[in-house]
Amino acid sequence: IVMDSSTTVRKIIGRVYEARGCIVKNADNGVTGLNMLTEEEFDIALVDFDLPPMGGIDMMRQFKAVLDDEIAWREKGYGSTSSKRKKILNENMLLIGISDGIAPSEHVYDDNNMHLYCTKPVNTDFLQMILKARKSHDSLDEMLVYIETNAAKLLNSKNKPVSRSASKIVPL
């Protein structure tokens, strides 16, 4: 899912992933994006920080609360909060923040389950690498190790700086 208020950004990212056989869904605002995340399964979510009327960080925070409630409900042995679900939606989704250049602080990652952050314009090689990580690894930890290793090579080879924050890669 691509959540961005810019039609152009949604189209560019969508074309990269559709050319590789992915089904891409779009949301132009945080409310629609949050509703989609609670109703459908996604492998990757790219979320703009500046979504109207609810910002991307607020949307991620609300989604994390829904996910945490679902996990707690399961751990208590009650099954799913939705009787239709057999598994927790988007529990292993790779969540990537997108911004016009505003770097998030460390607590933004931890408080919102954000795994990666990238700036606009989004590097299409980086998008392809994220997809390859998602397709070739089952766990989020394995995906993040793969991305960190390969993003450093990719971005350094193009003379772009890379900043590491805990296990997150932050292309600047």
Side-chain angles (χ1 to χ4, degrees):
I1 184 170
V2 180
M3 296 181 216
D4 199 295
S5 57
S6 167
T7 303
T8 304
V9 171
R10 291 192 314 268
K11 283 183 180 179
I12 290 170
I13 294 172
R15 286 180 184 151
V16 169
Y17 284 138
E18 286 169 346
R20 280 140 192 89
C22 297
I23 297 170
V24 178
K25 300 226 175 161
N26 293 293
D28 63 357
N29 66 71
V31 174
T32 301
L34 180 61
N35 289 335
M36 291 172 75
L37 287 178
T38 58
E39 295 170 4
E40 299 178 58
E41 184 76 21
F42 296 99
D43 292 320
I44 300 170
L46 293 120
V47 182
D48 184 19
F49 289 168
D50 298 320
L51 288 170
M54 176 193 322
I57 292 174
D58 289 335
M59 190 283 310
M60 286 186 263
R61 187 174 296 117
Q62 288 190 31
F63 173 68
K64 182 181 184 303
V66 169
L67 186 63
D68 289 347
D69 286 348
E70 185 79 9
I71 291 169
W73 190 256
R74 283 277 172 98
E75 287 174 352
K76 291 179 182 175
Y78 298 125
S80 175
T81 56
S82 169
S83 60
K84 296 177 185 175
R85 290 193 210 143
K86 296 193 187 298
K87 66 178 187 170
I88 299 172
L89 285 178
N90 299 311
E91 183 178 18
N92 292 313
M93 176 182 66
L94 191 57
L95 184 57
I96 303 163
I98 306 172
S99 177
D100 290 323
I102 303 166
S105 61
E106 181 64 29
H107 76 81
V108 171
Y109 286 108
D110 297 334
D111 294 348
N112 300 295
N113 283 0
M114 187 183 357
H115 302 106
L116 302 168
Y117 163 78
C118 61
T119 57
K120 295 177 187 175
V122 178
N123 180 315
T124 57
D125 292 335
F126 189 67
L127 292 174
Q128 292 173 46
M129 184 195 47
I130 290 166
L131 180 60
K132 185 174 182 180
R134 182 68 218 187
K135 287 183 172 183
S136 61
H137 299 285
D138 292 329
S139 78
L140 282 173
D141 289 338
E142 290 172 354
M143 281 182 258
L144 292 172
V145 167
Y146 176 89
I147 291 168
E148 183 170 343
T149 301
N150 290 286
K153 293 175 191 173
L154 171 71
L155 297 175
N156 286 334
S157 71
K158 296 188 176 198
N159 296 319
K160 293 189 178 192
V162 175
S163 171
R164 287 182 185 79
S165 176
S167 65
K168 291 102 180 157
I169 248 321
V170 183
L172 303 174

